[in-house]
């Protein structure tokens, strides 16, 4: 199990959808426009949020491989995608979806990316993609990803990589101290070696530029207000829990910080598009 519950991923999905940069996605769609039967690999797919947001911008025939190491999330992805589609059917190992005139065949693959990255990406996909994944990964793993994607000649598109920026409404005198502790916690090993955390967007750009890709980036923060109070509360609790776990802020300060009821927050992210040979 990954520690990411289907409920948490569902809670964040509307904020993720709003934050994504439409221009970067349009540029990707243009790059892939003349290809038939797009092959797409989605790394760390969770419940399939990235497919639901990205597939509608791409061509009419698509084959997606959704990869995660958590079987519970893969099962939830299957059900969530069935509910999202206009029609769905099982076809051997694939789930075949029809959505707004698009045909999307989906396969689900349980794999640990740390062990199996090259095998999962192999097979000359047109696109390797991921959402909210690479801040969990180490700089070494991201460099390996750049080499693996370049070896396949695939386009690369990832959204919602945490970039370290954050702000709370109303503010608190310990916000900066708490943010420093949270960002240190972001760099704890999440299964890929010491995590890049807020440095992941820079590591991604470097990894792809070193392999001759052109890289475009967009700032895509979550801007969450009181109409999504449950998400604000969950983020504040998670933020305080991370600060407590890493032990750099006194428990009294954390308790005082948690007493304030927040009605808004900003969490910085970056979307990254890397295209070969341009
Ligand atoms: C923050 S969640 C994002 C999920 C989904 N992409 C989304 O945007 O909703 C990170 C995902 O990466 C998966 N993950 C983490 N480490 C992994 C690993 N070593 N191998 C495969 N999947 C992994 C988790 O199970 C989880 O689904």
């Amino acid at each position: 199990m990954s520690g990411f519950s289907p409920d948490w991923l569902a809670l964040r999905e509307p904020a993720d959808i709003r934050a994504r940069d439409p221009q970067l996605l349009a540029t990707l769609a243009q790059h892939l426009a003349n290809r038939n039967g797009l092959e797409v690999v989605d790394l760390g797919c969770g419940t399939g949020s990235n497919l639901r947001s990205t597939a509608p911008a791409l061509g009419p025939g698509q084959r997606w491989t959704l990869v995660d190491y958590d079987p519970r999330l893969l099962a939830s992805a299957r059900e969530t995608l069935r509910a999202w589609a206009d029609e769905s059917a099982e076809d051997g190992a694939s789930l075949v979806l029809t959505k707004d005139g698009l045909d999307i065949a989906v396969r689900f693959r349980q794999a640990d990316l740390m062990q199996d990255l090259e095998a999962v990406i192999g097979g000359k996909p047109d696109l390797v993609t991921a959402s909210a994944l690479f801040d969990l990964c180490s700089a070494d793993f991201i460099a390996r990803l750049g080499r693996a994607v370049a070896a396949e000649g695939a386009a690369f598109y990832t959204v919602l990589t945490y970039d370290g920026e954050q702000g709370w409404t109303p503010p608190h005198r310990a916000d900066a101290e708490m943010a420093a502790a949270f960002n240190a916690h972001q760099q704890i090993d999440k299964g890929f070696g010491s995590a890049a955390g807020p440095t992941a967007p820079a590591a991604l750009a470097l990894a792809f530029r070193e392999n001759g890709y052109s890289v475009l980036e967009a700032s895509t923060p979550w801007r969450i207000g009181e109409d999504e109070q449950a998400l604000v509360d969950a983020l504040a609790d998670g933020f305080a829990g991370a600060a407590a776990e890493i032990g750099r802020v006194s428990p009294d300060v954390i308790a005082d910080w948690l007493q304030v009821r927040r009605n808004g927050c900003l969490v910085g992210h970056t979307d990254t598009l890397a295209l070969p040979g341009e």
Side-chain angles (χ1 to χ4, degrees):
M1 296 264 208
S2 66
F4 296 96
S5 73
D7 286 349
W8 161 246
L9 296 179
L11 184 63
R12 60 173 286 169
E13 188 164 337
D16 285 349
I17 291 169
R18 279 199 315 277
R20 285 164 163 257
D21 185 76
Q23 189 53 51
L24 229 51
L25 180 56
T27 304
L28 171 67
Q30 196 177 14
H31 174 81
L32 297 174
N34 296 324
R35 305 192 196 187
N36 271 335
L38 283 180
E39 290 283 349
V40 184
V41 180
D42 182 24
L43 305 175
C45 64
T47 66
S49 167
N50 192 28
L51 184 157
R52 289 188 285 283
S53 288
T54 303
L58 305 182
Q62 302 173 30
R63 285 192 296 271
W64 284 66
T65 302
L66 265 52
V67 184
D68 208 289
Y69 67 175
D70 186 336
R72 178 190 53 159
L73 291 177
L74 289 170
S76 178
R78 183 180 284 272
E79 290 318 306
T80 311
L81 287 168
R82 273 181 176 283
W84 169 78
D86 300 326
E87 289 174 33
S88 67
E90 299 287 344
D91 181 11
S94 296
L95 175 66
V96 180
L97 308 174
T98 308
K99 175 75 175 176
D100 296 334
L102 298 175
D103 293 322
I104 308 168
V106 188
R107 286 182 306 159
F108 300 89
R109 180 163 176 178
Q110 187 184 354
D112 183 338
L113 295 170
M114 186 62 178
Q115 304 300 323
D116 297 329
L117 176 71
E118 290 76 7
V120 157
I121 287 178
K124 298 285 177 218
D126 298 284
L127 171 64
V128 176
T129 184
S131 166
L133 177 68
F134 293 107
D135 41 75
L136 305 176
C137 301
S138 64
D140 282 351
F141 179 84
I142 291 171
R144 178 179 154 200
L145 170 87
R147 292 191 295 273
V149 173
E152 300 297 324
F156 175 78
Y157 172 62
T158 191
V159 299
L160 300 160
T161 310
Y162 177 62
D163 71 3
E165 190 192 356
Q166 50 179 277
W168 297 91
T169 310
H172 185 281
R173 61 186 165 76
D175 279 351
E177 190 185 358
M178 293 285 284
F182 179 80
N183 285 339
H185 188 274
Q186 286 294 103
Q187 296 186 292
I188 289 175
D189 187 343
K190 315 281 192 320
F192 295 91
S194 182
T199 67
L204 284 164
L206 178 67
F208 282 90
R209 286 196 177 114
E210 281 188 342
N211 283 284
Y213 277 54
S214 64
V215 176
L216 298 170
E217 295 175 287
S219 173
T220 52
W222 277 344
R223 296 180 196 279
I224 304 164
E226 55 197 345
D227 52 333
E228 285 174 306
Q229 191 64 49
L231 182 54
V232 176
D233 292 346
L235 288 168
D237 285 348
F239 184 68
E245 204 176 301
I246 202 147
R248 293 194 183 179
V249 183
S250 89
D252 289 351
V253 171
I254 295 174
D256 190 61
W257 189 91
L258 261 179
Q259 272 192 348
V260 177
R261 185 171 188 276
R262 284 164 187 87
N263 52 24
C265 67
L266 177 147
V267 180
H269 297 109
T270 300
D271 290 1
T272 304
L273 172 65
L275 299 176
E278 294 200 356

